[in-house]
Amino acid sequence: MKGNEGDEAAKALEKLINLTKKYSETELDEDGLRESISERINATNELKDILTKAKNARNNSYKQWRASD
Protein backbone atom coordinates (compact mmCIF):
# COMPACT_ATOMS: atom_id res chain seq x y z
CA MET A 1 0.00 0.00 0.00
CA LYS A 2 1.48 3.33 -1.02
CA GLY A 3 1.60 6.31 1.34
CA ASN A 4 -1.46 8.00 -0.11
CA GLU A 5 -3.53 4.81 -0.01
CA GLY A 6 -2.28 4.13 3.49
CA ASP A 7 -3.31 7.62 4.62
CA GLU A 8 -6.73 7.20 3.02
CA ALA A 9 -7.22 3.83 4.71
CA ALA A 10 -6.13 5.22 8.08
CA LYS A 11 -8.56 8.13 7.78
CA ALA A 12 -11.41 5.83 6.75
CA LEU A 13 -10.67 3.49 9.66
CA GLU A 14 -10.51 6.41 12.08
CA LYS A 15 -13.88 7.64 10.77
CA LEU A 16 -15.40 4.20 11.35
CA ILE A 17 -13.94 3.99 14.86
CA ASN A 18 -15.24 7.45 15.72
CA LEU A 19 -18.73 6.59 14.44
CA THR A 20 -18.72 3.41 16.49
CA LYS A 21 -17.68 5.33 19.63
CA LYS A 22 -20.24 8.06 18.96
CA TYR A 23 -23.13 5.65 18.65
CA SER A 24 -22.04 3.34 21.46
CA GLU A 25 -22.34 6.24 23.90
CA THR A 26 -25.78 7.34 22.69
CA GLU A 27 -29.26 6.03 23.32
CA LEU A 28 -30.98 5.87 19.95
CA ASP A 29 -34.57 5.94 18.85
CA GLU A 30 -35.70 4.09 15.73
CA ASP A 31 -34.60 6.83 13.31
CA GLY A 32 -31.31 7.33 15.12
CA LEU A 33 -30.63 3.61 14.95
CA ARG A 34 -31.30 3.55 11.21
CA GLU A 35 -29.00 6.54 10.70
CA SER A 36 -26.31 4.93 12.86
CA ILE A 37 -26.42 1.70 10.91
CA SER A 38 -26.42 3.51 7.58
CA GLU A 39 -23.45 5.70 8.51
CA ARG A 40 -21.42 2.75 9.74
CA ILE A 41 -22.22 0.69 6.65
CA ASN A 42 -21.14 3.58 4.42
CA ALA A 43 -17.93 4.08 6.39
CA THR A 44 -17.21 0.34 6.25
CA ASN A 45 -17.78 0.27 2.48
CA GLU A 46 -15.51 3.29 2.04
CA LEU A 47 -12.71 1.51 3.92
CA LYS A 48 -13.33 -1.72 2.01
CA ASP A 49 -13.12 0.12 -1.34
CA ILE A 50 -9.83 1.78 -0.39
CA LEU A 51 -8.33 -1.54 0.70
CA THR A 52 -9.58 -3.29 -2.44
CA LYS A 53 -8.03 -0.62 -4.68
CA ALA A 54 -4.74 -0.94 -2.81
CA LYS A 55 -4.80 -4.74 -3.12
CA ASN A 56 -5.56 -4.56 -6.84
CA ALA A 57 -2.78 -2.02 -7.40
CA ARG A 58 -0.36 -4.27 -5.52
CA ASN A 59 -1.39 -7.32 -7.55
CA ASN A 60 -1.04 -5.42 -10.85
CA SER A 61 2.36 -4.12 -9.80
CA TYR A 62 3.49 -7.65 -8.95
CA LYS A 63 2.26 -8.99 -12.30
CA GLN A 64 4.11 -6.25 -14.16
CA TRP A 65 7.26 -6.95 -12.15
CA ARG A 66 7.04 -10.69 -12.91
CA ALA A 67 6.45 -9.99 -16.61
CA SER A 68 9.67 -7.98 -16.77
CA ASP A 69 11.78 -10.95 -15.57
Side-chain angles (χ1 to χ4, degrees):
M1 202 179 310
K2 292 182 181 176
N4 189 32
E5 293 163 334
D7 291 342
E8 286 182 41
K11 288 177 187 175
L13 179 58
E14 186 175 346
K15 178 180 177 180
L16 181 58
I17 290 169
N18 289 335
L19 283 171
T20 301
K21 285 180 184 177
K22 172 185 169 183
Y23 289 117
S24 69
E25 299 168 354
T26 306
E27 193 170 312
L28 303 170
D29 61 8
E30 183 179 337
D31 290 335
L33 183 58
R34 288 176 203 262
E35 181 181 337
S36 164
I37 292 169
S38 178
E39 282 188 58
R40 287 182 281 164
I41 287 172
N42 290 338
T44 300
N45 286 336
E46 181 182 338
L47 177 58
K48 184 177 89 174
D49 291 344
I50 292 167
L51 294 175
T52 298
K53 282 194 283 186
K55 178 182 170 189
N56 290 340
R58 182 194 67 204
N59 288 343
N60 289 337
S61 176
Y62 177 76
K63 288 176 187 174
Q64 289 173 351
W65 174 75
R66 290 294 297 169
S68 68
D69 279 351

